[in-house]
Amino acid sequence: MHEWALAEGVISTALRVAIEEGLEEITEIVVMVGELQQVDRDAFLFALEQLRTQAMRRARFTIEPIPARLRCRVCGEEWFFKREALDVDEAEAVHFLPEMAHVFIKCPICGSPDFEISEGRGVWLASVRGVRMVG
Ligand SMILES: [Zn+2]
């Protein structure tokens, strides 16, 4: 259940940003989640809802996926990983174990399975919107 740890991190960072920005109330929190990050979106949203504080009682949580971007180590080609291109079993394997991506995905130009993930990992707070204190 690392979704709870991630949610705690997001909530505490959002609160710190709110203080720095002089926000009286937080209205929206946007979190970016890498497609290859092993995060259960529903569990993550649930955790955020449970952990919301008074200052964000009416805030909307938005989780934006970051598409996985891959870079071939052989020819340098960069492309976006498309989950639809895999069958269901493969997609599940890749979801639960990003390292498995190397077994199923090959460079579209040279066919090499030797690539690195240049984007699509990690979880971070993208934006915090709110109502500024008057005065
Ligand atoms: Zn290549």
Side-chain angles (χ1 to χ4, degrees), residues 72 74-77 107 109-112:
C72 178
V74 176
C75 73
E77 172 73 6
C107 172
I109 300 299
C110 73
S112 167

Side-chain angles (χ1 to χ4, degrees), residues 8-97:
E8 278 170 8
V10 165
I11 296 289
S12 64
T13 307
L15 286 173
R16 205 177 65 224
V17 170
I19 290 166
E20 284 169 8
E21 300 280 313
L23 301 178
E24 193 170 32
E25 188 187 340
I26 296 172
T27 54
E28 189 184 19
I29 293 174
V30 181
V31 186
M32 309 295 266
V33 175
E35 201 174 56
L36 292 178
Q37 192 67 28
Q38 298 163 64
V39 172
D40 180 327
R41 199 176 178 283
D42 291 339
F44 188 35
L45 257 183
F46 179 77
L48 287 168
E49 292 290 348
Q50 298 301 304
L51 293 168
R52 69 162 77 223
T53 67
Q54 184 67 12
M56 57 183 75
R57 64 192 178 282
R58 289 183 293 181
R60 186 157 54 96
F61 293 108
T62 304
I63 297 178
E64 297 275 359
I66 308 286
R69 191 175 171 82
L70 311 173
R71 186 190 303 120
C72 178
R73 287 203 181 97
V74 176
C75 73
E77 172 73 6
E78 286 198 44
W79 75 99
F80 283 101
F81 165 61
K82 290 195 182 58
R83 198 174 289 276
E84 313 87 71
L86 303 176
D87 72 29
V88 176
D89 286 350
E90 289 174 349
E92 284 297 300
V94 171
H95 176 74
F96 289 113
L97 200 69

